[in-house]
Each structure stands twice: as C-alpha cells, then as structure tokens.
Amino acid sequence: MSDVLVLMKGIEKTFPGVHALKNCDFQLRAGEVHALVGENGAGKSTLMKVLTGVYTKDAGHILYKGQEVEIPNPKAAQDLGIAIIHQELHLMPHLTVAQNIFIGREPRKGARFVLDEKQINKDAQDLLDMMHLDLDPKARVADLTVAKQQMVEIVRALSFNSEVLIMDEPTSMLTGTEIDELFRIIRELRSRGVGIVHISHRMEELKQISDRVTVMRDGRYIATVDTHAVTIDKIISMMVGQEIYETARSLPLETNKVVLEVKSLSRAGVLKDISFQLHRGEILSFAGLVGAGRTEVARSIFGADPFDSGQILVHGNEVQIRTPNDAVKYGIGYLSEDRRRYGVMPTMDVETNIVAAALDKFLGSFGWVNKASSRFAAEAQVNDLRIRTPSLEQRVRYLSGGNQQKVVMAKWLVRDCDILICDEPTRGIDVGAKSEIYKLLNDLAGSGKAIIMISSELPEILRMSHRIIVMCEGQITGELTAAEATQERILQYATRRESIARN
Amino acid sequence: MQSEPIAREIEIAKKGSVFHSDATQKLLAFASLIVMFIVFSLASPNFARFNNIVGILLSTAVNGILAVGVSFVIVTGGIDLSIGTVMTLSAVMAGVVITFWRLPIFLGLLAGVATGGLCGFVNGTTIAKMKIPPFISTLGMMMISKGLSLVISGTKPIYFIDTPAFRKIAMGTVFGIPYAVLIFFCSAIVANLILTRTVLGRYTFALGSNEEAARLSGINVDRWKIGVYTLGGMFSGLAGLIMASRLNSAQPALGQGYELEAIAAVVIGGTSLSGGEGSILGTVIGAFIMSVLTNGLRILSIPQEWQTVVIGVIVILAVYMDIIRRQRR
Ligand SMILES: Nc1ncnc2c1ncn2[C@@H]1O[C@H](COP(=O)(O)OP(=O)(O)OP(=O)(O)O)[C@@H](O)[C@H]1O
Ligand SMILES: [Mg+2]
C-alpha cells in the first residue's frame, strides 16, 4: 500500500525571468490519490511537466520505483508508465475520437506501417464502454463540446494502463455527473494500485477524493499532509501564506431598472424561447448542466452565434446584434468559457492583451497608442487581480493557466461594459483569486453594472446571485430568487426534462 | 439524455452539418469539373475529341504528381516552394546519369527520385531541426536547386537521343493512353493509401492539426516531418522524370512557376493551407480542373494571358467557397 512510486527531490526549474520551481520535493505512493494544490502560478503544472518530460529539470533527482531516472521527453515518461492529462486540452481537432486516443501507438496490421483502423475504433469503443461514456469513436473531436473533449483526454490517459496518472485540473470543465463519473474511475484505478496526482482548485474535491495533499507556494514545496487530518481552511492558509479570505456576499438590489431584455430567443435545435430581463446592479446567474444551452444564450446575445428568432433590447431599445463588435458598441462584454481559445492572444504580451478590447480609449493624437496610459491601466489590473507575471512584457502563453484567465477578465474590466457576461468566471482560478473575483463582481454590480454569470459551481451561484435562471436542454426550466434558491431546487430544475417533453 | 427531443435534434443537426461540410467541397469541385467539361464540349466540337482528352490527361500528369506530393506537406500545415525547381534538378540528374555517364536507364530513374528525396530531406531537416519556417527554407531550396540545375547541365538542355527507351516511359501507350497518365493515376492511388492508411499519413494529419499535441503524445515530430518533406521531394523527382521523358530532354531553365500551379491545384481540391485536412482525391480533381480550364480556354482561342487571369480567379473562388463552408459549420 505504501510503496513509493515517484520521488522528486530538490527540483529546480527556471524560465527566462521566472524561477518557477525552487528546491521542490514531491512523493507519490502506489494506490493513493494525491492532491496537489497551490495558487495560480505556484508551479504545480511545471512540476508535473518536469515529471512527464515536457520540461527538463535544471537540477534535482527523480526516482521511479526507487531507481533514479532521467525523463528527457514525453515518450520516456510514457514508456515508464507515467501518463498525464494536461491543463490545456491537447487534442487534434481534425482527427476522430478514436484516432486521438491512440495517437502515437496505433494498432498496425500486415506491414508495420499500415494502420488497423477497425481495431482502433473497436478498442476505443471498448474503452468508452468501460467508462460508460456516450461518445462515438468516429466523431471528429472538433465537433465535440469542451466537456466531451476533456473526457476524450481522460480516456486517452487512462488507456495507457499507466501506473502513474497525473491529472492537471481535469474537473475544471466538467460538471456534476461527469465529475462523479470521473471520481468513480479514479477510485477504481486507486484500488488497482495506480498512483494518481490530482490538481484542482475546487477545495471540496480534496475531501471527496484525495488521500494526501501536497501544498505548493511560489514555486516552493510547503508540506504534505493526510487529507483526513486537516481542515480545508488549514490547507488554504498554507496555500496563500497565513491570510484568510472572507467569502463575499451579494449586496441587496436597489433598483429594478431593466438594462437588458431578451424576448423569445430561439435557434433551431439549440435554444427554444429564451426570455428574461436583467436589471441594473444585478448579478443574474444561469445554472444548468453542461450542454444546457447557457453558453449558447450568451454567445447569441453577444453576436458570436446567429439566432433564428427573438429580440434583444438594451436600455429598452431594440437592437440588432450581428457581430461581437455590435455587442461591444452597446456596452456588452463577454468573458468566454474557453478562454485559451477565444480569450487571449497567446503570443502577445500581457499589456497588449489587457488593453486589446479597449484600444480606442488609449489613443492619442494621430491614432498613436498612448503608451503611458495603457501601461497604467494594465498595471492597475495586474495588481487588482493579482496576476502573477514577471512583467507586463511577458507573453501570455508563458503565464500559468489561471493567470491567463485573469488576463481575459482584466481585458473586459478595462473595456468598462455596462453589461458583462461571465461564462464560468472562476474556472481554474485559485481560492484566493476566486474571492478577489467575487469581490470584483460584487463591486461592479454595486457600481451599477449588470452581470450575467454562467457557472457550473452551485456554491458559487448560491453565494453570488440576486436571481438564478435554470436551463435544461435549450430551455429555461425555472427561475429562483436568491432567497428561494437551494442546491436541491436548482438541480431539480436543471434535470427537469419531463416537463419539456410535455410542452 | 439521448432520448430527449432537443438533445437528439442537436445531435442530428451536428452530424448533418459535418457530413454536409465534408462531402460538399469534393462534390462541388467534382461537379464544377463536369460542368466545365460539358460547357467546353458544347462550345467547341474539338474539345471532346479523344486526342484532346488524352492531351488534357497528359498535361495533368506532371502538375498532378507535383500536387499530390505537396499535398502531404500542406496537410502538415507547411508549404514547399521548391518542388518546381527540384523537379528540374531531378530531371537534370537523370540526364547526367543516362546521357553523360551512359549508365542504364533504371539507374537514371533512381537518381531522379533520389535527388528529389534528398532535396526534400534537406528541406525537412532545416524546418524540423533548425526551426526555419517552411516558406523560407523551401524558398532557399528553390533557388539552390535552380542554380544547381544550371551549373550541372552547363545551362544547356541534356537530350536523351541515344536512349529511345527513355521516351517510352512517359509516352508509350496502352489503348492510346500514355504511360505518363497511368503513372500519375498509380502514384495518386499510392499516395491516397499512404495518407489514409499508414502511420505516416495519420501523423501528417496530426502534425497539421496540433503539432504540440502530437509532440506531447510522444510522437517524434521532427522525424515524421522530415519524412513528409522527403516523400514530397520524391514525388517531385518522379514528376521530373515524366517531364524529361515527355520532352525527351532535361530543360534546366524550366521548372519555376510549377510549384504555384501545384499548390493552386491542392487548394482548389479543398485542402486547407492551415493544415489538418485534405485529400488526394481533392488534389487530383483540382489538378484536372486547372488543365481542363487551360485546355478549354485555349481551344476557344482565348489568349494565354487571359487564361492565367481566369485561373487566378478560380483559385480565389475555390478558397472562398471553402471558407464559407467552414463558417456554416
Ligand atoms: N514555458 C514557460 N515560460 C516562462 N514561464 C513559464 C513557463 N511555464 C510556466 N511559467 C511560469 O512558471 C510559473 C509556474 O507556472 P505553473 O503553470 O506551473 O503554475 P500552476 O501552479 O500550474 O498555476 P495554475 O493553477 O494557474 O495552473 C508561473 O509564474 C508561470 O508564469
Ligand atoms: Mg497549472
């Protein structure tokens, strides 16, 4: 039970301008689920990338089953039996589910270089069945939702039959039942003696699934503890270094001035008869399971997707929003759910990304960008949101996942919209920054902005919203005030399919 | 969840659109080929004559083989600008072996394909190992191979007069169809098998779709990339041999400009320049569209200059259709 699978000692890793890992230790046993926690940019992903050969360490030792090993590339890690699901999705969108699962080790037939496509599809189907996943092996990955794509990554990693499985925020894009399913699989693997590393910012998951927790802070190893022996608060204080964050509460709503009204928005096969009002100073949450159509509502309002019928009224006037540019003109901002794909320009620096959506604010004479004021604005956001970056010139692709998300958030805050649609605003963001973002949303609402928040985390919805709209399969199935709302009632609406079928 | 009406509708809508979009481009290209054929046949009685058809097939062969080869490179998201002049260099090397050194013809053929492969290998290596962007590396190779052709041949054509059999390679016929055409079809079939059935083909798509993901999957990205460029180069070598055989000589000054026609054929065939998708069938159809158009316009006595203009317009239209198709997804 307690034989040590992986031992990392004194790991050092420096990137230009960033000392990402400082004398870091880590130990993983067979048959345990080991949670790795820390704030955004603490070095969790980097440590695991060193273990899986994505990065090479500058110094330190890695012992695998007691033997010192060098892991110069991903292949070497695979050969040792170490598999990883990266924080960023790493799929080939043009290939099918089955082709993605078996990429790099396709079954061959006859001559060594001929693919056995039948076998690939069959093996993939077996894996999917084993995990009770309703996915077509022949479906193109580009046509799947993000959550389904995440499941493909998980299946891929599991299919190696590895002895070590590392999951870098696997749950950040999943909801309720999908997470339960994942945890069921994790428990099964654990009982088979697999050592599992689980990175997550969802603190409640620690107690649910992990046996031990390792905390990292600022690239340093802080401590490893048995999960049942500590409280979540204790872990959080180790993560952030003593300060304790208070969870923000939503303020009472003062006006009922309608700033946005949506009337019977419909899109064949996706959305049906969506109507709601959004008030000044309100935080309106959209709850529901993944695939309920919440993101589709947001994208339609923002002009990113077309709709077949329906009206959108901003401040009482009907408006035609055909492109995101129109939406921005009417003061609507949208924080996309898939930030890495739609939200950042990864090869540009932090400052450019932050001011990108509001460049016209920083134009001086002759259309020159006023460097001083754009720098000032970007700096303010970096401080407010505690974006961890060595400088404003750092390219966004080199920031940690959570910090990239904060950059997108900052972008829309600089833009200063009246109506802000936040799709999963805290996904992949650490506890500290999470409460910063809650506070921020509250402040924004308090200052008269109207906010639509789409979230799959019920505690967050219950804590933050004035009103909650629940969706299921493209339709609104219920609306609750903050006072009425409970976890049970939301879930009840979110799964209420019978009532739709009757309509 | 599947039994619910809206969910099912969504699934169907998705599947429908996927089928729709994937099949359309090829159908569309094929349909326009047929339409062109009919229009030209009606416009001129000479067009549908057997001799003219054979002429079209023959003129497609060289461009088609080049296009098939460069399809692999383009599916990886790369580009190869050197295929035209590498084709010429390969022909010159065949000339050197056969005419200058008087070695057996098959050694000349081998030399031609090997030259193409070697140039492709160098391209692949500079791109994968030295991280030079494909556009630049192959632009360099284009100049290098052009220069070498002129140097090696002494700027004069090398004729294959002493070896009449060499001319048979492209121009021998079965049932009136030149071998060149058959070689083109065979190489397209082989290329299609490589692209769809083999590991090399799968990784060609994987590289174009998401190179970083391929790398993290433990695929030796550099090696496969070099392989793809080498394969593309070998097709250029083959095209060079067909060309030389047709002209019964290696013309060192020829070749530049062929790369763009081949790339145009690939694009018309629906292969995306950003990589990850494409098909050999599409490329073959694209190559035919180009030569039917050239031939038809010539038969209608439209001046050469205007033919070029029309082809340019067709390339832009083809890509535009592809973009519209993608947006609808
Ligand atoms: N390739 C890189 N080049 C430069 N800096 C990098 C690179 N990768 C990571 N970093 C930096 O190293 C630090 C640690 O990043 P890492 O991704 O490991 O954080 P993390 O703990 O996974 O955070 P998150 O919870 O946000 O994912 C960050 O400051 C990040 O900016
Ligand atoms: Mg990370």
Side-chain angles (χ1 to χ4, degrees):
Chain A
M1 173 64 197
S2 67
D3 34 334
V4 175
L5 268 179
V6 174
L7 189 63
M8 300 176 82
K9 279 198 95 54
I11 305 293
E12 287 279 337
K13 180 74 196 171
T14 311
F15 297 110
V18 186
H19 197 167
L21 295 177
K22 302 164 192 158
N23 192 15
C24 230
D25 298 342
F26 184 73
Q27 186 209 56
L28 179 70
R29 295 184 190 141
E32 77 165 342
V33 177
H34 196 130
L36 184 57
V37 299
E39 293 191 282
N40 295 131
K44 308 178 294 290
S45 300
T46 306
L47 185 66
M48 290 302 116
K49 282 180 182 171
V50 166
L51 180 56
T52 50
V54 178
Y55 296 148
T56 45
K57 58 187 189 312
D58 297 341
H61 304 274
I62 302 176
L63 275 72
Y64 186 68
K65 295 182 182 166
Q67 302 279 324
E68 173 134 20
V69 289
E70 287 299 323
I71 306 178
N73 55 46
K75 186 87 174 55
Q78 275 178 19
D79 293 344
L80 283 177
I82 305 175
I84 182 166
I85 301 165
H86 287 283
Q87 187 170 8
E88 306 82 21
L89 287 176
H90 279 302
L91 293 170
M92 279 143 272
H94 299 90
L95 303 189
T96 68
V97 169
Q99 288 167 357
N100 266 285
I101 292 175
F102 287 104
I103 193 77
R105 55 203 167 100
E106 295 78 1
R108 321 275 169 92
K109 65 179 175 194
R112 223 176 52 79
F113 49 84
V114 180
L115 299 168
D116 191 346
E117 197 69 13
K118 260 211 199 104
Q119 193 67 38
I120 292 179
N121 284 325
K122 194 183 152 296
D123 289 354
Q125 187 67 61
D126 289 349
L127 280 167
L128 293 167
D129 288 347
M130 195 180 85
M131 284 166 222
H132 306 291
L133 290 176
D134 182 24
L135 272 175
D136 178 3
K138 294 191 193 117
R140 256 171 54 122
V141 162
D143 300 323
L144 302 178
T145 60
V146 180
K148 293 247 172 82
Q149 293 183 2
Q150 177 78 36
M151 291 317 251
V152 175
E153 285 263 27
I154 293 169
V155 173
R156 207 182 95 74
L158 293 178
S159 70
F160 283 99
N161 289 323
S162 317
E163 290 175 74
V164 174
L165 179 61
I166 299 158
M167 298 196 263
D168 198 346
E169 302 193 32
T171 54
S172 71
M173 297 192 213
L174 306 182
T175 46
T177 49
E178 289 160 330
I179 293 180
D180 292 343
E181 194 59 29
L182 177 66
F183 283 0
R184 187 187 63 74
I185 294 165
I186 291 180
R187 290 198 186 95
E188 192 179 316
L189 291 173
R190 169 171 63 188
S191 66
R192 277 195 245 150
V194 177
I196 296 158
V197 180
H198 180 77
I199 301 178
S200 176
H201 289 296
R202 296 188 176 178
M203 290 298 143
E204 68 276 10
E205 283 177 5
L206 300 189
K207 288 279 179 193
Q208 256 175 297
I209 192 79
S210 74
D211 303 308
R212 288 197 299 165
V213 184
T214 289
V215 181
M216 288 181 69
R217 185 169 75 229
D218 283 333
R220 286 203 175 77
Y221 167 87
I222 301 297
T224 301
V225 289
D226 284 339
T227 312
H228 62 81
V230 290
T231 62
I232 296 289
D233 285 342
K234 177 81 182 101
I235 295 174
I236 292 176
S237 70
M238 285 196 283
M239 277 171 59
V240 300
Q242 298 327 307
E243 308 162 60
I244 301 290
Y245 288 83
E246 224 169 84
T247 43
R249 262 269 153 207
S250 59
L251 306 161
L253 194 57
E254 278 152 23
T255 69
N256 48 15
K257 190 169 170 301
V258 177
V259 290
L260 174 76
E261 180 164 10
V262 173
K263 286 186 183 164
S264 8
L265 193 71
S266 294
R267 180 168 161 211
V270 182
L271 297 175
K272 206 171 153 205
D273 204 14
I274 303 290
S275 304
F276 65 90
Q277 293 183 333
L278 175 69
H279 303 107
R280 197 182 131 88
E282 181 178 43
I283 298 180
L284 173 65
S285 290
F286 274 68
L289 305 177
V290 165
R294 298 168 299 165
T295 297
E296 285 71 12
V297 171
R299 287 179 59 91
S300 294
I301 297 174
F302 191 62
D305 283 343
F307 51 90
D308 301 333
S309 62
Q311 288 175 305
I312 298 173
L313 290 81
V314 176
H315 296 298
N317 305 316
E318 179 166 359
V319 294
Q320 301 294 331
I321 298 178
R322 293 211 179 76
T323 63
N325 191 16
D326 294 340
V328 171
K329 261 191 296 200
Y330 292 116
I332 303 176
Y334 175 52
L335 237 129
S336 153
E337 139 188 65
D338 190 351
R339 262 147 289 209
R340 277 174 218 107
R341 210 154 81 197
Y342 304 117
V344 290
M345 300 176 282
T347 57
M348 310 281 278
D349 61 49
V350 172
E351 179 182 334
T352 309
N353 267 283
I354 292 180
V355 300
L359 211 52
D360 47 350
K361 280 196 189 172
F362 302 103
L363 294 186
S365 39
F366 308 116
W368 288 99
V369 177
N370 184 338
K371 196 67 190 158
S373 72
S374 93
R375 168 155 292 254
F376 181 77
E379 219 151 52
Q381 293 299 335
V382 167
N383 291 335
D384 285 357
L385 295 181
R386 309 190 329 134
I387 299 174
R388 191 161 302 185
T389 171
S391 75
L392 288 178
E393 279 88 42
Q394 181 76 323
R395 292 183 183 191
V396 166
R397 61 191 284 201
Y398 295 133
L399 298 191
S400 79
N403 282 305
Q404 291 189 13
Q405 306 207 1
K406 290 190 201 169
V407 168
V408 186
M409 186 98 195
K411 178 169 110 179
W412 290 111
L413 294 177
V414 168
R415 173 79 230 184
D416 202 11
C417 312
D418 289 344
I419 301 165
L420 191 61
I421 307 174
C422 305
D423 203 346
E424 307 283 1
T426 60
R427 169 182 294 167
I429 286 186
D430 66 56
V431 268
K434 231 179 220 174
S435 58
E436 298 283 333
I437 284 177
Y438 294 151
K439 194 165 148 303
L440 225 129
L441 290 177
N442 272 329
D443 290 352
L444 288 173
S447 71
K449 309 246 182 289
I451 294 167
I452 293 178
M453 182 176 89
I454 298 172
S455 171
S456 301
E457 287 193 52
L458 287 181
E460 168 171 306
I461 286 189
L462 292 170
R463 186 184 309 147
M464 294 293 296
S465 2
H466 295 107
R467 217 152 38 97
I468 298 155
I469 287 179
V470 190
M471 287 185 68
C472 178
E473 299 192 346
Q475 279 181 272
I476 293 180
T477 48
E479 186 182 322
L480 298 161
T481 62
E484 301 167 332
T486 61
Q487 204 137 333
E488 291 69 38
R489 291 191 71 174
I490 293 177
L491 277 176
Q492 196 185 340
Y493 284 129
T495 51
R496 207 168 79 180
R497 305 206 175 95
E498 312 78 47
S499 63
I500 309 171
R502 256 185 268 124
N503 285 348
Chain B
M1 196 158 150
Q2 285 299 296
S3 62
E4 300 310 322
I6 292 193
R8 201 186 309 140
E9 257 177 66
I10 294 175
E11 286 299 313
I12 291 170
K14 273 192 191 148
K15 287 214 181 91
S17 71
V18 170
F19 171 73
H20 191 72
S21 54
D22 275 356
T24 4
Q25 178 81 4
K26 247 177 264 163
L27 273 180
L28 209 76
F30 195 65
S32 29
L33 186 59
I34 303 283
V35 168
M36 253 189 262
F37 209 86
I38 293 171
V39 169
F40 285 132
S41 310
L42 293 178
S44 162
N46 293 331
F47 181 79
R49 295 240 161 91
F50 181 74
N51 277 347
N52 190 49
I53 303 288
V54 169
I56 292 176
L57 289 171
L58 194 56
S59 66
T60 314
V62 169
N63 186 38
I65 292 176
L66 280 180
V68 162
V70 79
S71 294
F72 285 87
V73 171
I74 293 179
V75 171
T76 66
I79 194 83
D80 189 345
L81 297 177
S82 69
I83 50 175
T85 52
V86 165
M87 169 181 88
T88 307
L89 182 60
S90 305
V92 167
M93 289 312 291
V96 167
V97 170
I98 297 171
T99 302
F100 289 1
W101 297 348
R102 309 199 164 275
L103 292 172
I105 289 181
F106 85 91
L107 282 180
L109 303 184
L110 215 62
V113 175
T115 304
L118 184 68
C119 292
F121 179 82
V122 173
N123 276 333
T125 310
T126 50
I127 292 163
K129 297 290 183 195
M130 293 159 66
K131 310 287 177 218
I132 297 173
F135 191 93
I136 306 296
S137 317
T138 61
L139 184 71
M141 179 55 75
M142 170 169 139
M143 295 169 168
I144 292 171
S145 51
K146 183 181 173 183
L148 282 179
S149 300
L150 291 168
V151 171
I152 293 171
S153 65
T155 72
K156 285 189 291 290
I158 305 173
Y159 292 97
F160 296 94
I161 305 195
D162 306 336
T163 46
F166 185 75
R167 194 167 152 72
K168 281 269 180 299
I169 292 166
M171 302 308 284
T173 57
V174 268
F175 304 120
I177 312 268
Y179 289 163
V181 175
L182 302 178
I183 293 174
F184 166 43
F185 283 137
C186 288
S187 50
I189 291 170
V190 170
N192 187 47
L193 290 176
I194 295 177
L195 193 59
T196 56
R197 298 282 167 80
T198 69
V199 186
L200 176 64
R202 175 63 39 82
Y203 294 168
T204 303
F205 281 107
L207 287 181
S209 190
N210 188 343
E211 189 175 322
E212 179 64 6
R215 195 173 76 84
L216 292 177
S217 306
I219 294 173
N220 189 336
V221 167
D222 291 355
R223 205 175 71 197
W224 291 104
K225 209 184 250 179
I226 294 173
V228 166
Y229 279 89
T230 307
L231 184 68
M234 286 164 70
F235 276 100
S236 305
L238 181 61
L241 296 174
I242 304 287
M243 181 91 162
S245 168
R246 259 188 83 186
L247 301 173
N248 208 15
S249 62
Q251 300 281 348
L254 230 61
Q256 200 163 2
Y258 276 72
E259 68 284 343
L260 296 183
E261 286 197 20
I263 292 168
V266 175
V267 167
I268 291 175
T271 296
S272 146
L273 280 182
S274 48
E277 51 195 335
S279 71
I280 297 297
L281 180 60
T283 296
V284 170
I285 294 173
F288 272 116
I289 287 184
M290 290 192 55
S291 46
V292 164
L293 206 64
T294 318
N295 180 283
L297 294 174
R298 194 168 57 228
I299 282 190
L300 297 183
S301 324
I302 298 200
Q304 170 114 47
E305 300 74 40
W306 280 107
Q307 296 172 17
T308 317
V309 173
V310 171
I311 291 189
V313 171
I314 297 285
V315 168
I316 293 175
L317 279 182
V319 174
Y320 181 57
M321 305 244 244
D322 193 39
I323 288 171
I324 292 184
R325 166 181 81 102
R326 249 169 256 272
Q327 274 170 352
R328 236 185 263 134
R329 174 171 293 176

